[in-house]
């Protein structure tokens, strides 16, 4: 398995999703109750535009759709993950819109009321990448949008994920 620094990120993440059982990765979530509760607490309408950034194989977009939200999008750099998530969601009445893109040079075609990022931002460790992330975030959001970013805990990567609401 190549390290992320040795290769381009899309190839790295494709390799992760091609070779690893999605239920055995360190960031696997067995359920989305906590994330759903966090989002429900924002009191968004069910037609609010929500995007899960770096969604990977997460089932959050599906869980949101099953909870009645009808305008869900999920973006990831890995075409492998995006296709798997798309296939898994096809049966839903309002399947999420899937976007395969590198968020660092993504030009959003529309605006969102909620930007949700779990375990993506912390991979961007240099100033240029963080600046690109912010440009995409600002370009993607409505004026009153919410931002939820969860990062690995510094002392315990892969286990402790803390969230902040900006
Ligand atoms: C640790 S996983 C978290 C996946 C998901 N958010 C979850 O909670 O299960 C990080 C995800 O970020 C995606 N990612 C990494 N860099 C990215 C980038 N520059 N643009 C878009 N997605 C990226 C990866 O493909 C991977 O799916």
């Amino acid at each position: 398995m190549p390290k992320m620094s040795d290769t381009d990120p899309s190839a790295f993440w494709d390799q992760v999703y091609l070779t690893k059982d999605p239920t055995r990765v360190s960031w696997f979530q067995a359920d989305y109750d906590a994330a759903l509760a966090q989002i429900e607490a924002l009191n968004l309408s069910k037609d609010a535009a929500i995007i899960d950034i770096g969604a990977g194989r997460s089932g959050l977009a599906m869980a949101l759709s099953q909870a009645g939200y009808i305008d869900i999008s999920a973006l990831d750099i890995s075409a492998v993950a995006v296709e798997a998530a798309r296939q898994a969601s096809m049966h839903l009445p309002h399947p999420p819109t899937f976007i395969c893109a590198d968020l660092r040079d993504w030009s959003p075609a529309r605006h969102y009321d909620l930007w949700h990022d779990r375990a993506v931002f912390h991979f961007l460790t240099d100033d240029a990448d963080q600046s690109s992330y912010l440009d995409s975030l600002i370009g993607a959001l409505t004026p009153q949008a919410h931002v939820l970013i969860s990062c690995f805990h510094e002392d315990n990567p892969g286990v402790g994920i803390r969230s902040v609401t900006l």
Side-chain angles (χ1 to χ4, degrees):
M1 168 72 65
K3 288 187 292 188
M4 190 155 76
S5 53
D6 296 339
T7 184
D8 78 273
S10 61
F12 173 86
W13 286 104
D14 276 350
Q15 189 67 4
V16 168
Y17 288 114
L18 282 169
T19 58
K20 291 196 184 283
D21 177 341
T23 66
R24 305 290 299 242
V25 293
S26 63
W27 58 90
F28 171 68
Q29 288 180 289
D31 68 62
Y32 300 95
D33 295 351
L36 286 174
Q38 202 174 32
I39 291 169
E40 288 286 339
L42 299 174
N43 288 317
L44 299 170
S45 64
K46 293 295 188 194
D47 63 354
I50 299 175
I51 185 157
D52 191 17
I53 292 292
R57 297 285 308 270
S58 166
L60 177 62
M62 284 178 65
L64 284 165
S65 180
Q66 285 161 335
Y69 294 92
I70 62 170
D71 188 359
I72 311 299
S73 300
L75 176 147
D76 203 276
I77 198 170
S78 165
V80 172
V82 165
E83 192 48 34
R86 191 199 312 275
Q87 293 288 337
S89 307
M90 278 170 45
H91 66 285
L92 294 170
H94 297 286
T97 298
F98 289 96
I99 303 163
C100 186
D102 184 334
L103 66 87
R104 295 171 301 176
D105 57 19
W106 176 49
S107 299
R110 54 173 302 195
H111 293 108
Y112 300 90
D113 301 304
L114 171 61
W115 171 285
H116 178 275
D117 163 355
R118 177 177 179 272
V120 184
F121 176 70
H122 57 230
F123 286 108
L124 306 180
T125 53
D126 69 54
D127 289 349
D129 283 349
Q130 291 180 357
S131 177
S132 300
Y133 181 103
L134 279 178
D135 287 345
S136 293
L137 183 150
I138 290 163
L141 297 183
T142 57
Q144 302 301 320
H146 300 269
V147 177
L148 291 173
I149 299 177
S150 304
C151 295
F152 289 144
H153 193 292
E154 285 177 359
D155 301 329
N156 200 4
V159 178
I161 291 182
R162 290 187 295 194
S163 297
V164 291
T165 306
L166 301 180

